Amino acid sequence: MSESKTISWRMMMKQFNWVGSEKNFVDEPTINNVGPITVGRFGGNSVSGSNKNEDGCLVWIDEENDWEFAMILDAHYSAESAELVIETFTNKKAEIVDVLVPAVKKDFNKVLEHKILHIFQGEECLQACREVKGETACLIVVRKAQFVWWFSIGDCLLYLHHPELAALGQYQLNQRHFYEWVGQVNTFELDVPCYSTGTRELRKGSNHLFLTTDGLVECPGDPFSTPDKIFHSGTELSCEDMVHSLSRTIQDHHVRDSTTILTWKVDVSKEGCIPSNLK
């Protein structure tokens, strides 16, 4: 990327990152907007035993080049692993943006996967992971044009709501996988790293992307144990109002675990794939 283009994307990008060790938001649900993305953070209820928050998140947005890069992390034992992953990706930002700025091509998902693997498997990252206390689940989501791509390590969740998909009962994009982490215990130290990745075409109209750590879905009373419950009362709300409603409900249900949410809506004008006999 030329120096002029590098300066340009730095000026255009909206950026945000946070780790629970900075501020834990225990007893204090908090909602912020970063461009089109609503960020919800809640450290759980102190009366239920919560006294820390080991979640984290990172957001980069380039509206001119039509993409968002979002990451959520759910660490345990300490927040050091979440801090490390955010720091590592911040340091590699220019390399990632080089992939995201150009128009999408047929190898877009493969190039992204190669770039993310290169970062996690780099000796600098591997050595730093060996020295941290604890480990973290990590979910990375990229939306570019009418496509969404994800890279998932562990048990964070990615949902997509669109009326055509909801009518068929489809909401969840990634699969939760337990016993996968980055950090002191590190999937990228295995002979074959374990992670999942995928790509989906968004449908014409409004597509609602929703990332969350597990505090939301493991709340006492199971108010949001399935994705249809999450979207049931929120499809007509703004992302900010929806996150406020979800946060208030899990607070009222005395959730202990922390919850971090990143969510936004993407309007797509291009018709998605449909069966040939319906064209």
Side-chain angles (χ1 to χ4, degrees):
M1 184 181 294
S2 68
E3 183 176 353
S4 61
K5 287 184 178 179
T6 299
I7 294 172
S8 175
W9 70 252
R10 284 177 177 166
M11 293 176 63
M12 292 185 297
M13 277 181 61
K14 295 181 174 69
Q15 307 174 57
F16 173 82
N17 65 70
W18 159 86
V19 182
S21 53
E22 301 170 6
K23 182 172 175 59
N24 62 33
F25 297 106
V26 172
D27 296 327
E28 186 184 346
T30 300
I31 300 170
N32 301 97
N33 291 305
V34 184
I37 297 182
T38 295
V39 181
R41 293 168 288 172
F42 180 43
N45 291 287
S46 60
V47 294
S48 301
S50 179
N51 58 15
K52 61 181 178 179
N53 188 333
E54 295 165 343
D55 285 359
C57 65
L58 179 148
V59 173
W60 300 333
I61 300 167
D62 183 346
E63 294 180 358
E64 180 168 328
N65 290 298
D66 194 25
W67 59 264
E68 299 92 28
F69 180 103
M71 176 192 294
I72 57 171
L73 305 111
D74 185 356
H76 65 262
Y77 198 26
S78 85
E80 290 181 13
S81 54
E83 294 168 1
L84 172 60
V85 173
I86 288 177
E87 180 182 2
T88 298
F89 274 76
T90 299
N91 291 340
K92 300 292 185 179
K93 185 191 306 177
E95 296 180 25
I96 298 168
V97 171
D98 275 346
V99 177
L100 299 179
V101 167
V104 291
K105 297 180 181 178
K106 290 185 181 297
D107 63 349
F108 178 72
N109 51 354
K110 297 298 183 182
V111 173
L112 262 176
E113 182 176 352
H114 181 268
K115 177 58 64 178
I116 301 304
L117 281 173
H118 180 74
I119 292 171
F120 279 125
Q121 292 180 312
E123 185 55 38
E124 181 180 358
C125 182
L126 291 174
Q127 182 56 43
C129 284
R130 296 174 191 129
E131 298 172 1
V132 299
K133 178 181 178 181
E135 42 274 330
T136 185
C138 177
L139 171 62
I140 299 169
V141 176
V142 173
R143 196 284 308 178
K144 172 76 174 179
Q146 74 272 28
F147 301 100
V148 60
W149 173 90
W150 66 91
F151 188 103
S152 180
I153 305 158
D155 61 349
C156 296
L157 286 155
L158 170 62
Y159 300 127
L160 167 64
H161 179 272
H162 185 281
E164 293 177 4
L165 301 176
L168 299 171
Q170 180 178 329
Y171 300 91
Q172 190 164 326
L173 292 183
N174 73 327
Q175 172 68 47
R176 295 180 79 188
H177 289 283
F178 303 100
Y179 305 107
E180 288 180 2
W181 299 283
V182 180
Q184 186 178 0
V185 176
N186 191 353
T187 185
F188 297 102
E189 292 278 17
L190 298 174
D191 293 336
V192 179
C194 296
Y195 62 93
S196 60
T197 184
T199 312
R200 289 293 178 273
E201 180 189 31
L202 301 178
R203 309 300 297 167
K204 184 177 182 179
S206 179
N207 295 263
H208 189 171
L209 292 164
F210 189 98
L211 293 68
T212 185
T213 55
D214 60 9
L216 183 72
V217 298
E218 296 182 357
C219 177
D222 297 327
F224 305 117
S225 57
T226 58
D228 58 310
K229 294 180 179 179
I230 294 173
F231 290 106
H232 177 70
S233 60
T235 54
E236 302 302 321
L237 299 176
S238 68
C239 289
E240 184 173 354
D241 288 342
M242 179 184 180
V243 174
H244 183 268
S245 176
L246 296 173
S247 300
R248 184 176 63 247
T249 299
I250 61 174
Q251 184 176 28
D252 290 345
H253 279 69
H254 307 294
V255 70
R256 176 179 179 177
D257 198 6
S258 55
T259 296
T260 300
I261 296 169
L262 301 178
T263 185
W264 69 107
K265 296 180 180 180
V266 180
D267 289 323
V268 174
S269 58
K270 186 176 180 180
E271 191 72 63
C273 289
I274 58 174
S276 56
N277 64 316
L278 297 181
K279 291 182 178 178

